[in-house]
Amino acid sequence: QVQLVESGGGLVEAGGSLRLSCAISGLRFSASVLGWYRQAPGKQREFVASVTSGGTTSYADAVKGRFTISGNNIKNSADLQMDNLKPEDTAVYYCRLNRPTTPRYTYWGQGTQVTVSS
């Protein structure tokens, strides 16, 4: 059974930092993309950042220069380092594992809450 488990969320003041981790079990992180998404109350889920198993990264404009995503094929995990956090970063953060080629699959974690106080 495939599972993605996020950890590292919490409450932090504006300007502070948090590090989220996504641990994958039941699958190897290979030929796939692990992404972080977030959903604030009353808003749609949105893309934050992603990393391919080959190490290519991508970021939403809102987090460029503040967030850093990194994948670890050995640990079968990916982290999201979030610096200079802003109140508008407050959301539930989800990790998503997607393989766009055969055999295709998409899995989501259960989410972790990040709250940034002003």
Side-chain angles (χ1 to χ4, degrees), residues 5 49-50 71 96 107 118:
V5 179
S50 66
R96 171 182 180 260
Y107 297 98
S118 57

Side-chain angles (χ1 to χ4, degrees), residues 13-95:
E13 292 185 350
S17 298
L18 282 174
R19 188 176 184 91
L20 305 183
S21 293
C22 178
I24 306 165
S25 61
L27 273 177
R28 297 302 305 173
F29 181 36
S30 65
S32 56
V33 182
L34 194 140
W36 284 95
Y37 292 74
R38 65 187 182 187
Q39 187 166 19
K43 294 188 177 181
Q44 290 189 336
R45 191 171 297 188
E46 64 177 6
F47 170 78
V48 175
S50 66
V51 59
T52 69
S53 48
T56 300
T57 58
S58 180
Y59 298 91
D61 288 343
V63 306
K64 277 181 183 176
R66 300 188 298 121
F67 291 11
T68 304
I69 190 170
S70 58
N72 190 318
N73 293 9
I74 296 176
K75 291 185 177 180
N76 222 35
S77 64
D79 291 346
L80 183 69
Q81 176 67 37
M82 305 186 294
D83 298 317
N84 191 21
L85 282 160
K86 304 176 181 181
E88 51 263 42
D89 294 319
T90 295
V92 178
Y93 283 70
Y94 300 88
C95 65

